[in-house]
Amino acid sequence: MNGLTIALSKGRIFEETRPLLAAAGIEPAEDPESSRKLIIGTNRPEVRIIIVRASDVPTYVQHGGADIGIAGRDVLMEHGGQGLYQPLDLGIARCRLMVAVRQDFDYASAVRRGARLKVATKYLKVAREHFAAKGVHVDLIKLYGSMELAPLVGMSDAIVDVVSSGNTLKANHLVAVEEIAQISARLVVNQASLKLKRAELKFVMDAFARVSTPLDADPVLP
Ligand code: AMP
């Protein structure tokens, strides 16, 4: 496929990516919130945007369905990042990946007593690694959304989820007890595209790099 395909998710990532795209001279032709189209053109004939689930962005880029994408660090930690080049922290869609429990649950003493915790989350890999590193035994329950509900109905002792303002936790009488990671969105690049589409990628990556933080010492593209 000639040209450049960019994988984005609707909502916060799309909205906060708009100024970055504008810095690269790219204007989406439609708004994914009102359009049902999954492929959106742009003012640049060689650039198109595909709209996918946030957790599918790394998969589309890994398998060449898109050349580049923007995904939260939470999503990348859970995916594993195989086959992806991650050159830039874009500093957008900031939040924190946290362990949270009911306000009346004594997490510290449950952990101290060596209790076996039930943890509901969509981040199975991240949660497994986090609690294994602490030596805490957990039974993991996979959910796809509304994790906050699980402790309220007695299904789990804790959840692992992203927290932004903390309002959702508060409204549901939950409290964050541990931070797993600080999250922001990153640019991910397909490794074959990096070699085969250097010129097309360079203008986008240079424009994004002007407004974000490099993640390693490598030059973005020489
Ligand atoms: P808040 O009430 O502001 O703490 O937001 C928490 C809710 O929004 C949770 O249900 C999260 O799943 C979701 N959320 C917050 N920030 C993000 C983000 N950067 N990316 C994805 N989901 C988020």
Side-chain angles (χ1 to χ4, degrees):
M1 177 85 201
N2 285 328
L4 200 67
T5 302
I6 305 174
L8 295 176
S9 52
K10 275 201 241 188
R12 199 167 161 189
I13 295 266
F14 188 90
E15 289 311 320
E16 296 190 23
T17 298
R18 271 181 194 278
L20 299 175
L21 293 172
I26 300 167
E27 300 280 349
E30 280 173 274
D31 183 348
E33 295 300 337
S34 50
S35 166
R36 303 185 84 110
K37 284 194 186 167
L38 299 174
I39 301 178
I40 294 180
T42 72
N43 59 324
R44 301 179 77 118
E46 78 282 15
V47 179
R48 63 181 191 165
I49 295 168
I50 61 169
I51 303 297
V52 303
R53 284 283 291 260
S55 51
D56 288 336
V57 168
T59 307
Y60 273 88
V61 176
Q62 176 188 5
H63 294 282
D67 301 298
I68 61 176
I70 294 178
R73 183 173 174 228
D74 53 332
V75 167
L76 292 167
M77 287 167 74
E78 188 62 23
H79 171 270
Q82 309 90 328
L84 298 172
Y85 176 56
Q86 296 183 35
L88 292 173
D89 182 348
L90 300 171
I92 59 170
R94 284 184 186 278
C95 57
R96 297 189 298 162
L97 193 52
M98 308 284 288
V99 180
V101 298
R102 278 168 61 137
Q103 282 164 1
D104 57 4
F105 182 79
D106 189 348
Y107 178 73
S109 81
V111 167
R112 214 176 316 114
R113 281 187 280 113
R116 200 172 175 98
L117 289 181
K118 274 195 250 172
V119 178
T121 186
K122 66 177 174 189
Y123 301 101
L124 284 190
K125 175 178 183 297
V126 170
R128 190 180 303 114
E129 290 171 1
H130 173 75
F131 290 107
K134 287 169 58 76
V136 174
H137 296 288
V138 287
D139 292 315
L140 296 172
I141 301 171
K142 167 82 181 180
L143 290 177
Y144 293 87
S146 300
M147 268 79 79
E148 294 87 355
L149 190 56
L152 304 184
V153 294
M155 198 166 81
S156 76
D157 302 307
I159 60 169
V160 168
D161 194 11
V162 287
V163 178
S164 178
S165 66
N167 289 340
T168 307
L169 291 184
K170 212 166 159 193
N172 292 292
H173 311 290
L174 301 176
V175 56
V177 286
E178 232 162 50
E179 179 179 289
I180 299 179
Q182 303 256 352
I183 305 297
S184 52
R186 295 173 170 206
L187 179 69
V188 291
V189 183
N190 174 276
Q191 290 187 339
S193 303
L194 192 63
K195 297 192 185 78
L196 300 172
K197 299 188 179 179
R198 275 185 104 76
E200 295 96 321
L201 280 172
K202 187 171 162 51
F203 83 89
V204 176
M205 289 169 63
D206 283 354
F208 285 9
R210 284 195 289 277
V211 288
S212 48
T213 314
L215 283 171
D216 53 36
D218 292 339
V220 167
L221 271 184

